[in-house]
Amino acid sequence: MEQDDRKLFVLDTNVLLHEPLAIYSFKEHDVVVPMTVLEELDVIKDRKRDVSRDARVAIRALEDILGGQITPEQIVKGVPLPRREDHSDANGTLSIFPDHQIDNTLGSLPGDNNDNCIINTALHLQLQHQPRKVVLVTKDINMRLKAKGAGIQHVEDYRTDQLIDDIRFLTKGFHKFAGDFWARKEHVTTESHGRQTIHTVPTDEVGEEHFYTNQYLIDEDSNFCGRVMTPPTDELKILDLGRDRLLNLDAWGIRPKNIYQGMALQALLDPEIDLVILTGPAGCGKTLLAMAAALEMVVERGLYDKVIVTRNTPEIAESIGFLPGTEEEKMAPWLAAITDTLEVLHKNDVNPTGSMNYIMDKANIQFKSINFMRGRSIQNSVVILDECQNLTASQIKTMITRMGEGTKLICGGNLAQIDSNYLTPVTSGLTYIVERFKDFEGSANVYLNGVVRSRLAEFAEENL
């Protein structure tokens, strides 16, 4: 490849914190890390926060390439990236740019903060390497605006782990057919396996939609509701569920209020499904269904030993503090949604408080901080991971890889309520796992369409 065809990517610190091995994600193009970024990583690596681990991983990755017998001149010029099995297409170079040595150029910003220093680096390299394309990569929206205003021609978000371009294209977990599903289906075979009825239909008679394992199928005009059984080929195997049967499912006294809740509850109560992802607007019933199903499976059916509830704290998985109290007591304010749900489930009892305490002991409900999940192996449990929209892909991966044999993970979140500084609906870890796991036979995803909390919440969701 000609030198002018190879782009030069200047990385911001937040890119390396979001994905510590981001330096390998730019294929044949060259990567520049300004000295200011190393200084920021150095400050962050010693903090007692979850993000410090990512900073240390990024620093070690840089040291693996630039350490050893590499001279200072080679580091500035660029060192070829080593071959990695998981990034076999990365064959560009990595360099550290001494941005403290550059003189101000036209459009330079005052060098009194780190963001400005990184922008000035990109400006200097853009002028120095013309007509070569120099791209500043940052997850900070305001920094992208400042960079554009300062004269940098190419500014991008880090999108390597972004699987869709528009949140409207996010998989909903079900497909709704117009009219009657069984109309114009000429080649259908039906088999009964115990209590299960399975229909086999030629894929070309169903439609041109890309179907996947455990996707739900409903229609507008009949009682039909099914679930795709196996990876689709020329034939589609559909487990017949029936709309009425789903609406009459019961978990800890809770019944679905619409077909979307029915599909979600069916997935939650199916022990063959290890991962259930629930998305949808505020008030659609994600937490209530997850908690009711967990209690049903632990207490009534005895399928699991305990319920573990966790979520990221608002500071993105930061410390839960050193004041007196157990881990459960410290996590209680962040998990008030769960205790609210338990109150709803037992509001009609003679002694609701006593019932809640009894059930929390009987179901062995544990409130855990996400900080202490790394390194664990959780067996025979129902794990509810709430507020997933605020987690990055790497943080959610850390959680999923903790799940051992006999454990069911329930992930819930609302992509319209992201609090993280650097996440958007299309880059959220929740979006990432919805797309990554849609072809996995042990997972199901349901978008809970419609607000059932109250007419006030429904109006707010639609009009505010």
Side-chain angles (χ1 to χ4, degrees):
M1 174 175 285
E2 294 295 329
Q3 181 70 13
D4 287 350
D5 294 332
R6 292 174 60 164
K7 301 175 186 176
L8 199 63
F9 287 97
V10 181
L11 304 191
D12 188 14
T13 312
N14 51 54
V15 174
L16 294 174
L17 296 177
H18 179 83
E19 173 52 66
L21 299 180
I23 53 178
Y24 292 101
S25 300
F26 297 93
K27 299 183 179 180
E28 73 277 4
H29 304 291
D30 298 332
V31 177
V32 175
V33 176
M35 191 70 72
T36 299
V37 169
L38 292 183
E39 293 172 354
E40 288 194 321
L41 290 176
D42 187 51
V43 172
I44 293 169
K45 71 177 173 61
D46 293 325
R47 295 178 185 172
K48 296 185 182 301
R49 297 181 178 180
D50 195 61
V51 72
S52 301
R53 171 190 171 274
D54 295 323
R56 291 192 293 269
V57 172
I59 291 169
R60 283 194 293 268
L62 295 172
E63 201 275 337
D64 288 343
I65 301 170
L66 304 176
Q69 303 300 316
I70 307 297
T71 65
E73 292 77 17
Q74 288 175 305
I75 290 177
V76 174
K77 185 177 180 181
V79 177
L81 291 170
R83 303 290 291 178
R84 287 178 63 98
E85 289 185 8
D86 53 345
H87 293 90
S88 57
D89 57 351
N91 54 19
T93 64
L94 170 69
S95 61
I96 303 296
F97 187 81
D99 51 354
H100 57 282
Q101 296 180 359
I102 63 175
D103 296 324
N104 286 347
T105 58
L106 184 64
S108 292
L109 299 176
D112 54 356
N113 68 58
N114 290 339
D115 283 358
N116 289 358
C117 290
I118 296 169
I119 290 172
N120 289 342
T121 299
L123 274 172
H124 176 81
L125 292 172
Q126 179 177 273
L127 185 64
Q128 189 179 46
H129 291 275
Q130 286 181 343
R132 193 178 179 191
K133 188 174 181 180
V134 175
V135 184
L136 174 62
V137 184
T138 176
K139 298 199 69 64
D140 187 334
I141 298 173
N142 190 60
M143 187 172 175
R144 292 202 293 269
L145 293 173
K146 286 172 63 178
K148 279 286 188 181
I152 297 179
Q153 297 174 6
H154 305 286
V155 186
E156 296 179 1
D157 188 4
Y158 180 74
R159 298 176 180 270
T160 302
D161 57 355
Q162 180 179 318
L163 301 180
I164 57 174
D165 294 324
D166 193 318
I167 199 62
R168 292 175 299 174
F169 302 137
L170 181 65
T171 302
K172 293 184 179 294
F174 61 87
H175 180 72
K176 191 171 186 176
F177 294 92
D180 187 338
F181 174 78
W182 294 114
R184 297 182 297 280
K185 302 293 186 296
E186 300 176 358
H187 305 89
V188 181
T189 58
T190 301
E191 301 175 357
S192 294
H193 301 274
R195 299 175 63 182
Q196 292 186 339
T197 301
I198 299 175
H199 306 291
T200 303
V201 185
T203 306
D204 55 4
E205 288 190 13
V206 180
E208 297 181 355
E209 176 79 10
H210 173 68
F211 299 101
Y212 50 88
T213 308
N214 290 333
Q215 182 181 19
Y216 289 89
L217 307 176
I218 55 177
D219 65 11
E220 294 177 341
D221 296 342
S222 77
N223 190 44
F224 168 75
C225 181
R227 196 178 85 196
V228 178
M229 290 288 290
T230 56
T233 52
D234 295 335
E235 294 180 329
L236 207 61
K237 288 189 178 295
I238 302 171
L239 173 63
D240 194 325
L241 299 172
R243 192 177 288 242
D244 289 343
R245 273 176 288 164
L246 289 189
L247 291 175
N248 282 292
L249 287 173
D250 186 286
W252 208 251
I254 296 296
R255 288 194 173 184
K257 290 191 173 183
N258 55 42
I259 188 59
Y260 309 105
Q261 288 195 353
M263 293 184 291
L265 199 54
Q266 197 276 331
L268 289 167
L269 295 174
D270 189 342
E272 298 297 317
I273 295 180
D274 303 322
L275 170 65
V276 179
I277 306 169
L278 302 179
T279 59
C284 64
K286 300 183 293 293
T287 306
L288 181 68
L289 291 173
M291 200 68 220
L295 294 175
E296 179 75 18
M297 291 185 291
V298 172
V299 179
E300 290 294 328
R301 304 188 186 184
L303 297 175
Y304 305 94
D305 297 337
K306 59 188 173 183
V307 180
I308 295 177
V309 185
T310 186
R311 58 161 285 183
N312 70 307
T313 50
E315 296 86 1
I316 318 300
E318 305 299 354
S319 169
I320 58 173
F322 299 96
L323 293 175
T326 64
E327 182 183 354
E328 281 81 4
E329 289 170 342
K330 291 179 180 181
M331 285 301 296
W334 310 129
L335 293 167
I338 303 298
T339 52
D340 290 346
T341 299
L342 287 171
E343 289 177 6
V344 170
L345 292 173
H346 296 278
K347 65 180 180 181
N348 295 321
D349 293 2
V350 176
N351 183 358
T353 304
S355 295
M356 280 181 58
N357 293 335
Y358 172 77
I359 290 303
M360 289 188 69
D361 182 60
K362 179 78 172 176
N364 195 6
I365 299 176
Q366 302 175 10
F367 291 170
K368 296 295 181 183
S369 169
I370 201 171
N371 295 323
F372 308 131
M373 284 297 178
R374 184 172 284 114
R376 294 190 63 184
S377 180
I378 302 170
Q379 313 287 335
N380 300 317
S381 308
V382 178
V383 179
I384 300 176
L385 179 56
D386 208 10
E387 303 294 335
C388 288
Q389 73 275 3
N390 288 317
L391 295 175
T392 65
S394 61
Q395 287 172 330
I396 280 201
K397 178 183 176 182
T398 298
M399 284 300 305
I400 295 177
T401 52
R402 300 305 98 215
M403 303 302 121
E405 282 295 324
T407 289
K408 188 184 191 87
L409 175 61
I410 304 171
C411 295
N414 176 12
L415 290 166
Q417 294 183 336
I418 292 178
D419 302 316
S420 171
N421 294 338
Y422 300 126
L423 290 179
T424 65
V426 292
T427 60
S428 166
L430 180 59
T431 300
Y432 188 76
I433 60 168
V434 166
E435 289 298 315
R436 276 285 189 240
F437 279 91
K438 68 180 181 182
D439 292 313
F440 174 52
E441 62 182 11
S443 73
N445 156 52
V446 179
Y447 176 81
L448 291 165
N449 204 359
V451 178
V452 296
R453 179 172 290 163
S454 67
R455 64 177 184 174
L456 175 62
E458 182 177 8
F459 185 85
E461 186 68 32
E462 292 176 356
N463 295 279
L464 295 183

